[in-house]
Amino acid sequence: MSNEPYHILLVDDDDVTNFLSREMLRIYMTAPKIDIALNGQEAIAFLLAHANEPDKLPDLILLDINMPIMDGWEFLSEFEKIRTSGFEKINVIMFTSSVYYEDIDRARGSAIVKNIYSKPLDEQKIREIIASCR
Amino acid sequence: MRTVRYLFTILLLTGMCRLSYAASDTIHVQLKWWHQFQFAGYYAAELKGFYQQAGLKVKLIPGDPSHAAVPEVLAGNADFGITGSDLVVNYAKGDPLIALGAIFQHSPYTILSLKEKKIHIPSDLIGKRLMASPDQGWTELKAVFLKEGINPDSLKLLSHSWKNTDLIEDKADAITAYISVEINQFRKAGVEPSFILPINYGIDFYGDILFTRKKIADSDPVTISKFRKASFEGWEYAMSHTGEIADYILTLPGVKERGVTKDDLLVEAEAMRKLILPDLVEIGHMNEGRWRHIADVHQKLGIITKQPDLSGFLYDGTKKVSSKFLRNTAYVLIGVLLLLLLSVLYGFSLRKAVRKRTEDLEKEIIERANAQQLLLISEQRLEMATVAAGLGIWDWDIKSGEVYFNDQWKLMLGYAPDELPNLFATFEKLLHPNEKETLLHLLHEHLEGRSSVYQAMIRMRTKDKRWKWILTMSKASLRDEKGQAIRLSGIHLDIDDIKQKEIELKELTQELMHSNNELQQFAYITSHNLRAPVANLISLLGLFDRSNLSERNNVFLEKMEISVERLHATLNDLNEILSSRINKADREDRLVFAEELSKVKDLISEEIRLREVTIQSDFSKAPEIFFSRKVIHSILLNLLTNAIKYRRPGVPPIIQVFTEEDGDYIILYVKDNGLGIDMEKYGNKIFGLYQRFHDNKDGKGLGLYIIKNQVEALDGKIAVESMLNSGTMFHVFLKKKKSFYE
C-alpha cells in the first residue's frame, strides 16, 4: 500500500449500506479515508469541489445504481463529460443490489466502470477491488 | 322433253295437294302457355309470312292451366302442340303422338323458391309445400327427387295457382317454374329467388317440343314438313331479331294486361338463348339417344313401365315425305330415276363425300352442343358457388372504365344491384380515404405489370354508412404486348367479421403484454428492494459482536441468522428466474455447438474431474445455430449439472450431447446414464417450479423450469424421456432463425 491513506467515495442513498460499507472497509483496510455522497448529483458536486485539489480526490468510487435525484447511470454519463479535467485516475466500481443480467451487461459495456459487485461487501470482495484498482 | 313433262307433272301434283289442304283447313297450334317469348318462333313465322309463303293458314292458341297441349291435340282441338319432354311419357303410354322437333335443347323447368327460405337442394324441400302442376314439368322435376333418393310423397304438393304472390306471401315454400320467365318476375317484384336446376342432378331433358298426332303425320306429311320448316325458320328469325318479335308479342291479347314489358320479354329471350343454343344447334334438332335417355330416366323412376320403341316417336322428315311421294308418284318417278341413273352413278362418289361431311358436321354440332352444355353447367355451378360463398365478382374493362359487378358485389355493401353504376368510379368512391392512395398505387403497379398479383384488405362504405372490411384479390386476365393490363377481374370477399375479431384480438394481446410487462417490472422492483435490506441484515449479523450474549440471546440470534439465510436464498432464486427471462428481441449469434459445449465444460471442469464424468458429443448433423448464447449456455449448464448431480451411485457418469435437424428445429439431445426419473409419477411435473425428484441432493428445482421458459420464449419446446435406474434423455427443440446473412 502507498503511504497515503486509500480514499474511497461511497455513492449510495441507503444509510445502512453506507454504514456497513464503512465498517467493512475499516475492518479489512488500513485506515481508509471514506467520504459519502447520497446520490449521483452529490458525488459530481463533491468531485467538482475538489477538482483543483488532487489530494482530496478519491482513488475509488463505489457507485450504487438505484438512487433518487441522480442514479448511477446518470452519474456515469455526467462523470464521462468531466472525466478528462483531472479525474482520469479515479476508479469506478459499480456496487449494487441488482443482480440483473441487463444491469451487469450494461456495466460491463461501460468504458469507465472497472467492475461490478453485488452488495454486501465482504472481505474477499474488498481484497479483489483493491487489487484491481492498484 | 320427256323429263321436262314428267317433272311438270310432279310439281302439279304437289301443288294441287298443297292447295287442297290450305283451302280445306286452318292449322290450329296449341301453345303450352299464354303468349310470351317462349313461343317467339311461331309468332315470327306468322309475322314474317313464312307460314303464308308455305301456303299455310295458322292459328296460335295460347295455353292455360285448363288447356294443356297434349290433351288438346289428342282430342283434335288442335293439330300441333308445344309441350315438354314428358311427351315421351304420353307416347309410352300409347298416346298416338309424334315429336316433330325440340325447340329447347335443355329444359327450362326449375324449382323456384326465395333466397330467404334457404332452399338450395332437393332435400331442403322435404316436408315443405311445393306448388306443382302435372302438365307443367312436375314429371321431370319429380325425377330429380327420385334420383336424389327422396320420395316425392315427402313433399306437400299443392296444386299450382300460377300466382307468384303465393310464394312471396308464404302460401307455398317453392313452385315449379320456367327459369326463363319467373326468375325475372320475382326479381322485378323485389325479391331474390333461389332455384334448383334438374341439370345439376343429372336430369337433362329437352324443353319445349313441337308435336302432332300420328294420324296427321301419316296422312299429310307435306303439311307437316311445311309447317315444321316454316316454324323453325321463324325461330331462327326470332332469335336473331328479339327486339322486333318482342314488340310484336306486346300486341298480342293478354300480354300487356299481365304487366309484361319489352324488357321482360328480352330478359326471357336471353335466358332462352342458353336453352335453345340457336348458334350451335339447328332448331328442332333431336337425337334418338337423348330421347332414349329421357325415356330411360322415366322408366327407372317407375313413371313409365317399359322402354318404348322410339322409332315411331321421332319425326323423320325425309323418310315420311319420300314414301308419300313414292306412293303418289311412283310411276312417274320410275322413268325419271331410270334416266337419272347415269348421272346418279356419276355423282355417287361426290354424294358420298357430302354425306361424310354432313355426318362430321352433325358430330361436331353434337360435340359443340355438349361443350355448350358443360359450359352452362359450369356457369351455373359458378353462380351457385359464388352465391353460397357470398363472393363479389368484378371485371374491369380498363379502356372503357366499365366494370361488371355481380349482384353480390353490391349486396355486400347493402346496395341493390341497380343502385350502383357499373363504373370504376363506383369502387373508388366507396373506398376508405385512408386506404385509397395505397390501394390505387398497388393497383397501378399491377396494371403496369410490375407486380404479379393484386391483393389487399380494404374498407368500403356501406349503404348504411359503415366501413366494412373486404378482401379484394385479382390478377390481370389480359395484358397488351407492352405488358399493360387491359382487363382486370377479381373477387371481393366480406371479411368484416374476421377483421373485427382480429382487431379485438390485437387489442387484447396488447393489453396482456402491457400487464405482463407491469408484472415483470413489479417483480423486478420487489426483488431489488427486498434484496438490499436482506444483504444489509446478513452483513450486520456478521459484524455483530456476540461475545457477551447470554445463552438465550445466542439461540435467538442463531434463529435470526437461519431465517435471514432462507430469505436470502429465496430471493436469489427469484432473481435467477427473473434474470433468466428472455425475449425475442434479445441478441442472437451464430453459435458453434462444439465451442459452446467446451465453454460450459470449462465452467464445471472441477466437477467433471471429481466425478469422473465422460462427455461425448457429436454435432455433425447440425454443427451450428443462430441463437441466443445465454440460452444455449443455460441449457447446457443446467442439463450437464443435472446429469452429474443425478448420477447413479457406483456408475461413472457418461453424458452424450448431440444435435439433429428436424424441419424448423434443431434438436439438441442431452442423454445420461444416471438415476432416471419415474415418468409415470413425475412426468408432467418435471419442468415445474421447485420440483425435486431425488432426495439428499442440493438441487433447487429451478434449472429445468428456467430452461423450459427460455426455450419456449424463443418458440421452441423441450421434452424428456427417462427410465428409472437407466438414464434420462432431454430433447430440446430449438427453433431455427434466419441469420442476418441469409
Side-chain angles (χ1 to χ4, degrees):
Chain A
M1 285 208 182
S2 67
N3 297 331
E4 284 172 43
Y6 205 73
H7 186 178
I8 299 166
L9 175 63
L10 299 175
V11 187
D12 201 313
D13 60 317
D14 182 33
D15 281 342
V16 183
T17 304
N18 287 336
F19 166 77
L20 265 171
S21 299
R22 186 158 49 195
E23 288 300 310
M24 296 301 277
L25 290 167
R26 279 183 181 159
I27 292 170
Y28 297 108
M29 292 179 75
T30 327
K33 181 169 160 39
I34 295 167
D35 278 305
I36 290 172
L38 290 175
N39 57 56
Q41 202 176 52
E42 281 191 15
I44 293 286
F46 178 89
L47 294 177
L48 290 176
H50 302 294
N52 298 320
E53 306 163 88
D55 294 355
K56 294 191 176 169
L57 286 175
D59 301 296
L60 173 68
I61 295 174
L62 283 182
L63 179 66
D64 185 27
I65 293 177
N66 295 302
M67 290 177 290
I69 303 171
M70 184 191 281
D71 72 13
W73 304 118
E74 289 164 341
F75 169 82
L76 284 174
S77 69
E78 286 302 310
F79 182 61
E80 196 164 12
K81 289 179 202 161
I82 58 166
R83 198 178 175 205
T84 47
S85 30
F87 306 112
E88 297 92 335
K89 286 184 184 161
I90 302 173
N91 293 298
V92 179
I93 296 277
M94 283 294 217
F95 181 57
T96 173
S97 48
S98 168
V99 284
Y100 291 104
Y101 190 77
E102 289 88 342
D103 285 344
I104 294 167
D105 245 21
R106 192 169 166 187
R108 296 220 167 111
S110 161
I112 306 166
V113 177
K114 197 134 203 172
N115 210 336
I116 177 163
Y117 285 93
S118 62
K119 292 173 186 176
L121 276 176
D122 57 23
E123 185 180 358
Q124 200 196 339
K125 287 176 193 167
I126 291 169
R127 304 233 172 280
E128 272 180 39
I129 290 168
I130 300 306
S132 69
C133 296
R134 280 269 161 225
Chain B
M1 281 306 286
R2 260 175 88 114
T3 320
V4 172
R5 190 148 33 112
Y6 284 137
L7 285 173
F8 178 72
T9 316
I10 298 165
L11 287 173
L12 193 69
L13 279 166
T14 50
M16 279 169 66
C17 179
R18 183 212 291 161
L19 283 171
S20 71
Y21 193 94
S24 73
D25 215 314
T26 298
I27 295 172
H28 290 85
V29 182
Q30 179 62 55
L31 302 179
K32 195 175 173 202
W33 204 238
W34 46 53
H35 294 305
Q36 52 192 1
F37 208 89
Q38 188 181 352
F39 312 108
Y42 312 106
Y43 308 133
E46 177 84 17
L47 179 67
K48 304 311 286 185
F50 301 148
Y51 289 139
Q52 204 187 354
Q53 282 159 31
L56 304 174
K57 200 175 158 196
V58 173
K59 185 172 162 49
L60 303 172
I61 311 162
D64 60 59
S66 55
H67 291 87
V70 169
E72 289 294 304
V73 170
L74 282 174
N77 297 335
D79 307 300
F80 295 91
I82 321 291
T83 192
S85 57
D86 47 340
L87 182 70
V88 78
V89 176
N90 294 91
Y91 173 78
K93 286 177 179 162
D95 290 341
L97 296 168
I98 183 162
L100 299 176
I103 309 302
F104 286 27
Q105 293 296 320
H106 300 293
S107 166
Y109 280 124
T110 181
I111 291 172
L112 193 147
S113 181
L114 299 183
K115 211 164 195 180
E116 64 199 42
K117 292 188 183 282
K118 300 198 187 321
I119 291 170
H120 304 295
I121 53 171
S123 60
D124 291 341
L125 272 161
I126 295 174
K128 297 278 167 64
R129 297 158 299 163
L130 173 71
M131 284 208 305
S133 158
D135 295 325
Q136 299 284 347
W138 175 231
T139 318
E140 176 186 332
L141 294 166
K142 190 151 68 178
V144 173
F145 289 97
L146 292 170
K147 189 131 192 198
E148 287 289 286
I150 298 163
N151 184 347
D153 294 343
S154 62
L155 312 177
K156 286 180 192 149
L157 285 182
L158 309 176
S159 70
H160 216 309
S161 68
W162 307 108
K163 282 185 218 143
N164 291 345
T165 46
D166 281 0
L167 185 57
I168 298 172
E169 288 163 8
D170 198 32
K171 290 180 187 162
D173 297 303
I175 59 172
T176 62
Y178 254 40
I179 189 135
S180 45
V181 180
E182 276 86 354
I183 291 201
N184 180 48
Q185 290 174 353
F186 278 98
R187 289 200 174 129
K188 244 177 89 182
V191 289
E192 191 52 29
S194 66
F195 42 90
I196 296 170
L197 290 171
I199 203 167
N200 292 326
Y201 299 91
I203 304 291
D204 181 14
F205 288 3
Y206 283 124
D208 286 8
I209 312 290
L210 176 63
F211 71 100
T212 187
R213 277 192 306 278
K214 192 168 175 356
K215 208 169 150 197
I216 301 177
D218 286 343
S219 66
D220 200 352
V222 176
T223 304
I224 301 283
S225 171
K226 296 280 174 204
F227 178 74
R228 197 174 169 264
K229 187 165 169 287
S231 297
F232 296 166
E233 211 176 321
W235 269 112
E236 267 169 37
Y237 186 88
M239 291 317 287
S240 49
H241 300 82
T242 50
E244 183 187 345
I245 303 304
D247 283 334
Y248 175 72
I249 294 172
L250 288 174
T251 67
L252 295 172
V255 177
K256 278 192 181 145
E257 289 81 342
R258 292 202 316 273
V260 174
T261 66
K262 185 174 177 185
D263 275 350
D264 296 336
L265 292 169
L266 292 177
V267 169
E268 186 188 354
E270 287 321 303
M272 278 166 57
R273 192 180 295 284
K274 292 178 189 161
L275 304 168
I276 297 177
L277 310 170
D279 302 326
L280 277 176
V281 183
E282 197 189 349
I283 303 274
H285 174 82
M286 289 190 298
N287 173 300
E288 193 179 329
R290 249 185 105 192
W291 271 118
R292 204 174 300 124
H293 168 73
I294 295 168
D296 218 35
V297 171
H298 281 109
Q299 192 197 347
K300 275 188 189 140
L301 303 174
I303 296 168
I304 57 180
T305 46
K306 71 179 198 6
Q307 174 78 250
D309 172 15
L310 290 174
S311 61
F313 178 61
L314 267 72
Y315 169 79
D316 181 345
T318 33
K319 202 178 97 196
K320 289 281 160 65
V321 173
S322 61
S323 73
K324 176 76 177 173
F325 244 12
L326 282 170
R327 202 162 62 224
N328 288 343
T329 63
Y331 60 101
V332 183
L333 276 178
I334 288 165
V336 178
L337 283 171
L338 281 171
L339 276 165
L340 289 176
L341 190 61
L342 271 178
S343 55
V344 166
L345 283 171
Y346 178 77
F348 182 72
S349 58
L350 183 68
R351 247 189 285 169
K352 199 175 160 192
V354 169
R355 197 185 309 140
K356 173 81 173 65
R357 183 80 190 98
T358 312
E359 277 169 10
D360 288 351
L361 212 61
E362 272 172 1
K363 210 193 266 172
E364 198 187 325
I365 286 173
I366 290 168
E367 276 165 11
R368 279 158 72 185
N370 284 341
Q372 180 77 14
Q373 188 186 332
L374 288 176
L375 192 66
L376 186 73
I377 293 174
S378 80
E379 256 176 35
Q380 286 164 344
R381 265 193 206 128
L382 184 67
E383 182 176 347
M384 289 195 295
T386 51
V387 169
L391 213 54
I393 291 179
W394 50 273
D395 186 0
W396 180 21
D397 182 339
I398 290 155
K399 270 184 197 141
S400 72
E402 265 179 44
V403 190
Y404 160 80
F405 298 117
N406 73 346
D407 293 352
Q408 198 56 37
W409 192 98
K410 296 171 182 176
L411 290 170
M412 197 180 283
L413 300 173
Y415 288 98
D418 56 0
E419 281 181 307
L420 291 173
N422 286 341
L423 292 169
F424 183 73
T426 303
F427 172 62
E428 222 178 335
K429 215 177 83 192
L430 296 173
L431 196 56
H432 195 286
N434 290 4
E435 279 140 28
K436 201 164 176 170
E437 200 183 328
T438 328
L439 190 84
L440 293 181
H441 175 71
L442 205 68
L443 194 56
H444 186 69
E445 290 294 293
H446 184 61
L447 293 180
E448 297 288 318
R450 284 194 287 270
S451 66
S452 59
V453 281
Y454 161 76
Q455 180 179 335
M457 284 186 264
I458 51 172
R459 273 170 292 175
M460 289 187 75
R461 196 73 159 161
T462 60
K463 195 180 175 185
D464 55 4
K465 307 282 177 241
R466 284 188 317 114
W467 291 110
K468 193 171 208 179
W469 281 99
I470 283 170
L471 175 71
T472 178
M473 272 174 95
S474 165
K475 201 165 179 174
S477 34
L478 278 178
R479 291 186 184 275
D480 62 15
E481 66 283 354
K482 288 178 206 151
Q484 290 254 348
I486 48 182
R487 187 175 156 194
L488 193 69
S489 45
I491 60 148
H492 268 194
L493 185 62
D494 182 346
I495 52 163
D496 205 48
D497 283 352
I498 305 172
K499 197 72 190 174
Q500 296 304 342
K501 293 259 155 54
E502 188 189 314
I503 292 167
E504 277 170 31
L505 206 62
K506 204 180 265 174
E507 283 168 359
L508 192 66
T509 311
Q510 269 169 358
E511 226 169 85
L512 277 173
M513 274 172 66
H514 181 71
S515 60
N516 196 28
N517 279 342
E518 274 189 343
L519 271 175
Q520 280 193 351
Q521 201 59 31
F522 178 73
Y524 182 102
I525 290 166
T526 310
S527 87
H528 180 271
N529 290 354
L530 283 174
R531 204 174 185 281
V534 169
N536 284 344
L537 270 175
I538 291 171
S539 299
L540 288 168
L541 284 167
L543 292 175
F544 192 79
D545 178 4
R546 58 185 77 192
S547 53
N548 293 323
L549 281 182
S550 68
E551 192 74 4
R552 194 175 149 79
N553 276 347
N554 229 328
V555 174
F556 287 145
L557 190 67
E558 251 170 53
K559 302 290 178 206
M560 277 161 74
E561 277 180 321
I562 293 167
S563 302
V564 170
E565 274 308 324
R566 286 205 185 136
L567 185 54
H568 185 59
T570 306
L571 270 179
N572 279 344
D573 290 351
L574 183 57
N575 282 325
E576 200 175 331
I577 292 166
L578 287 172
S579 64
S580 74
R581 76 177 194 277
I582 194 98
N583 54 57
K584 284 179 200 169
D586 282 358
R587 187 188 147 86
E588 295 183 343
D589 294 297
R590 183 181 288 277
L591 306 176
V592 177
F593 282 113
E595 288 173 11
E596 302 310 317
L597 177 65
S598 101
K599 283 183 205 164
V600 173
K601 270 157 77 178
D602 285 349
L603 288 176
I604 51 170
S605 56
E606 187 59 22
E607 194 73 1
I608 291 173
R609 196 183 53 79
L610 207 65
R611 308 290 177 206
E612 299 173 331
V613 181
T614 311
I615 298 179
Q616 301 163 343
S617 63
D618 177 6
F619 301 115
S620 58
K621 286 184 186 158
E624 48 181 51
I625 189 170
F626 196 81
F627 216 75
S628 154
R629 175 171 276 123
K630 176 177 162 187
V631 174
I632 294 291
H633 275 208
S634 154
I635 293 166
L636 288 171
L637 187 65
N638 274 296
L639 295 182
L640 289 181
T641 50
N642 270 1
I644 299 170
K645 226 180 272 172
Y646 305 117
R647 65 191 177 277
R648 233 176 319 155
V651 182
I654 300 171
I655 306 172
Q656 288 163 292
V657 186
F658 52 104
T659 53
E660 195 176 272
E661 292 239 25
D662 181 39
D664 291 341
Y665 299 98
I666 286 178
I667 311 175
L668 172 67
Y669 297 96
V670 178
K671 187 181 180 199
D672 66 45
N673 60 344
L675 285 169
I677 305 161
D678 186 341
M679 292 303 288
E680 270 184 36
K681 210 165 161 188
Y682 301 115
N684 52 355
K685 287 184 179 172
I686 189 163
F687 296 105
L689 190 55
Y690 284 122
Q691 298 293 335
R692 270 164 279 191
F693 308 101
H694 302 280
D695 304 329
N696 73 350
K697 296 289 175 187
D698 51 358
K700 288 186 294 184
L702 276 185
L704 292 179
Y705 173 80
I706 286 172
I707 62 177
K708 180 175 193 273
N709 281 346
Q710 288 177 329
V711 168
E712 284 177 355
L714 297 175
D715 299 326
K717 50 195 176 181
I718 184 162
V720 63
E721 57 180 306
S722 184
M723 253 176 79
L724 218 47
N725 295 320
S726 164
T728 303
M729 175 149 98
F730 284 92
H731 306 230
V732 188
F733 292 76
L734 305 166
K735 180 83 179 242
K736 276 194 247 174
K737 296 275 161 58
K738 287 204 164 84
S739 80
F740 297 122
Y741 315 106
E742 282 169 61

